[in-house]
Amino acid sequence: MKYQRPKGTADILPEEAVAWSYIENVAKKLFANYRFNEIRTPMFENFEVFSRSAGDTSDIVTKEMYDFHDKGDRHITLRPEGTAGVVRAFVENKLYGPEQIKPVKLYYMGPMFRYERPQSGRLREFHQIGVEAFGSESPNLDVEVISMGMHLLKKLGIQNFKLVINSLGDKETRKAYREALIAYLEPHFDELSDDSKERLHRNPLRVLDSKDKNDQKLVANAPSILDYLSDDSKQHFETVKQLLGDLNIPYEVESSMVRGLDYYNHTIFEIMAHDKVLGDGDVTVCAGGRYNGLVEELGGPETPGIGFGLGVERLLLLMQAQNAALPKTNDLDVYVVAIGDETKAETLKIVEKVREYGFSADQDYLNRKPKSQFKTANRLNAKIVMTIGNDELAKQVVNLKVMATGDEQQVKLEDVYKNFPKLFGKFLEK
Ligand code: ATP
Ligand code: MG
């Protein structure tokens, strides 16, 4: 029997994991500057958390969820996205309470699960870094969240990306637009895809998001939601555009963009990158928007919210394609070459001591000959190589070579144990 990972999943091997940690650390630092704090929620939730929030006509809910009944017959779903769980936690833990400083700004990072057709940048288990901010309707917050996403991509060395925005308005807007859209699409009912036929009356905005080529042709001439914005919605959107301009953030308005989840309103946005690794067209790396109403939908008090989710796999593909700088793995500080079995115990003491002082250290574990131990030390780019044989052991010393200068000297073991950082730390400065 040959074991293989499930379709649409990936192993992240050590070399690539370095890039993952790097991305996560850059994100954490940036989010901290914007005063977002981390939240960790379960990887699975009750089915209703997602069906209620993402909308029961969305692709995610109708086709892509990994859901099952557990041994206690609970309907469980592996989270397909991060927002619903964070909103559930926000409500359940009463983070809307008076003791919380508003807005409550949160971020998360972790795996998401969607049953999709795997392809480049599209997996069944993938990872998102996301942010959510609760409790403010200010357009400033919309712009900050967008700007934070743009900053993150820039900091990670991504080039050729653009910001696309739209407004989905408020309830009043949606009601007026819904009617106009149905009126436009109804005469074309027979030409619509089965999915879109099904959605036309239940949720016509979903038709705008159809992946079907023929649907896309039809919706190209559909009325624009921007012509139906209520006064309040228009005001909000105009302010967002104005503020983006003030920050010199270029953007395009795409009035047919609706996003794949039902909970959005007012500002929605996607940050798209153009690179042939991800196919011919523009590919969305980061996407989000406002979701005033979602907190209430999940049982909380009326609380506005806004956030985004960023796909880490797509981001990495882009970084690799665009040769974005990644940190190098740290070189080894000290390698200890042991000559003769009698020295093994002392070697172990040395590496342990060096590690205790906060440096990295390694030794041979495979009974290799000295020559091959030296070779290993070279391959690992050791900055200092210590050698200990029976003679040295008897004299309680080691031979120590600083590789950068080639300087060799005998050092008392006592000095290694008591004064290593003072004597040799300068050769190991990062
Ligand atoms: P798409 O239209 O590409 O399916 P989406 O609208 O379903 O995207 P969102 O739910 O907004 O995507 O998720 C935000 C980001 O998460 C996407 O922009 C993308 O970078 C990433 N993402 C979504 N689904 C996947 C997946 N199956 N594999 C890898 N990354 C994904
Ligand atoms: Mg999708």
Side-chain angles (χ1 to χ4, degrees):
M1 170 98 191
K2 210 166 118 193
Y3 296 104
Q4 288 181 318
R5 56 180 182 266
K7 187 171 170 176
T9 65
D11 299 311
I12 300 159
L13 300 177
E15 213 164 291
E16 213 183 344
V18 174
W20 282 75
S21 304
Y22 171 67
I23 292 172
E24 288 161 7
N25 290 336
V26 170
K28 282 184 183 180
K29 224 168 141 212
L30 180 74
F31 295 163
N33 288 346
Y34 280 85
R35 308 285 298 159
F36 281 65
N37 296 307
E38 187 175 12
I39 183 166
R40 301 185 188 208
T41 64
M43 248 169 281
F44 57 86
E45 297 274 354
N46 291 316
F47 174 84
E48 291 72 24
V49 170
F50 301 110
S51 61
R52 248 341 248 277
S53 57
D56 50 14
T57 55
S58 67
D59 272 351
I60 291 187
V61 172
T62 53
K63 298 178 188 157
E64 298 174 358
M65 297 231 281
Y66 274 94
D67 63 315
F68 57 94
H69 290 264
D70 73 4
K71 289 181 174 41
D73 206 30
R74 297 172 195 89
H75 195 176
I76 296 292
T77 301
L78 302 189
R79 63 180 184 196
E81 57 101 33
T83 303
V86 171
V87 172
R88 196 267 313 137
F90 177 85
V91 174
E92 188 168 349
N93 298 286
K94 298 194 173 60
L95 298 187
Y96 48 78
E99 65 287 354
Q100 300 282 340
I101 297 170
K102 308 286 173 347
V104 175
K105 300 195 265 190
L106 305 169
Y107 75 84
Y108 57 85
M109 18 189 97
M112 308 292 159
F113 307 87
R114 293 185 196 175
Y115 192 77
E116 299 207 65
R117 201 161 63 78
Q119 48 197 289
S120 173
R122 193 176 290 286
L123 291 107
R124 290 182 175 174
E125 183 191 29
F126 65 101
H127 297 75
Q128 278 187 349
I129 295 177
V131 306
E132 318 290 351
F134 298 97
S136 162
E137 276 181 290
S138 165
N140 270 39
L141 187 59
D142 300 34
V143 172
E144 276 193 28
V145 166
I146 292 172
S147 173
M148 186 163 77
M150 303 282 276
H151 253 124
L152 181 56
L153 295 186
K154 222 179 276 168
K155 270 194 189 299
L156 291 169
I158 302 295
Q159 292 148 22
N160 302 330
F161 61 86
K162 63 173 184 188
L163 170 66
V164 181
I165 61 171
N166 191 24
S167 172
L168 296 180
D170 51 14
K171 275 206 185 93
E172 192 188 327
T173 307
R174 296 275 273 264
K175 191 162 173 281
Y177 183 58
R178 193 190 137 90
E179 279 163 25
L181 193 55
I182 293 178
Y184 168 79
L185 288 170
E186 249 173 353
H188 301 285
F189 186 80
D190 292 336
E191 302 160 58
L192 290 171
S193 68
D194 289 346
D195 271 349
S196 293
K197 279 184 181 135
E198 163 77 16
R199 288 162 173 175
L200 178 60
H201 288 275
R202 289 180 64 195
N203 191 353
L205 262 74
R206 286 266 69 83
V207 179
L208 295 184
D209 199 35
S210 170
K211 304 276 194 286
D212 181 89
K213 285 271 173 315
N214 202 45
D215 286 352
Q216 285 174 350
K217 255 187 240 155
L218 285 174
V219 300
N221 297 315
S224 160
I225 193 163
L226 297 178
D227 294 331
Y228 294 82
L229 292 183
S230 65
D231 289 344
D232 283 354
S233 301
K234 200 176 211 155
Q235 175 70 42
H236 187 96
F237 195 46
E238 289 306 316
T239 311
V240 166
K241 289 191 289 185
Q242 171 78 42
L243 293 170
L244 285 171
D246 292 346
L247 291 182
N248 291 317
I249 299 176
Y251 61 87
E252 291 170 20
V253 176
E254 172 66 66
S255 66
S256 64
M257 180 169 82
V258 293
R259 309 277 319 111
L261 301 157
D262 278 355
Y263 50 61
Y264 288 116
N265 45 43
H266 290 291
T267 318
I268 55 170
F269 64 95
E270 298 196 1
I271 306 176
M272 299 176 166
H274 194 89
D275 201 288
K276 58 182 184 310
V277 273
L278 293 173
D280 295 333
D282 292 320
V283 173
T284 304
V285 197
C286 178
R290 264 206 176 271
Y291 46 80
N292 304 349
L294 184 56
V295 173
E296 285 162 278
E297 193 69 41
L298 291 181
E302 192 178 337
T303 310
I306 178 166
F308 69 66
L310 175 148
V312 181
E313 282 82 359
R314 283 188 207 177
L315 176 66
L316 257 169
L317 279 172
L318 275 174
M319 287 174 70
Q320 283 155 0
Q322 302 188 342
N323 293 317
L326 284 171
K328 286 215 328 233
T329 37
N330 280 336
D331 287 340
L332 174 62
D333 291 323
V334 175
Y335 190 92
V336 185
V337 173
I339 307 174
D341 282 347
E342 302 76 6
T343 60
K344 290 266 147 101
E346 202 66 45
T347 314
L348 177 61
K349 269 172 72 181
I350 298 172
V351 287
E352 282 289 275
K353 197 70 204 176
V354 170
R355 292 165 183 159
E356 205 180 300
Y357 279 126
F359 301 102
S360 62
D362 223 335
Q363 57 165 324
D364 170 59
Y365 304 91
L366 302 170
N367 285 321
R368 278 179 284 215
K369 299 239 152 49
K371 197 173 150 194
S372 125
Q373 292 186 45
F374 283 115
K375 232 186 197 162
T376 307
N378 276 333
R379 280 182 57 190
L380 295 171
N381 275 328
K383 293 181 193 146
I384 286 177
V385 177
M386 295 188 199
T387 311
I388 181 162
N390 286 335
D391 286 353
E392 287 79 17
L393 188 60
K395 284 195 268 175
Q396 288 289 291
V397 295
V398 282
N399 287 321
L400 183 148
K401 183 171 177 181
V402 178
M403 302 308 280
T405 59
D407 282 347
E408 271 188 89
Q409 52 181 302
Q410 265 198 351
V411 181
K412 285 190 197 136
L413 276 175
E414 197 187 331
D415 275 336
V416 172
Y417 293 142
K418 296 217 174 112
N419 299 317
F420 183 79
K422 212 165 100 199
L423 294 172
F424 303 104
K426 56 180 178 284
F427 301 114
L428 304 173
E429 234 69 78
K430 299 270 147 71

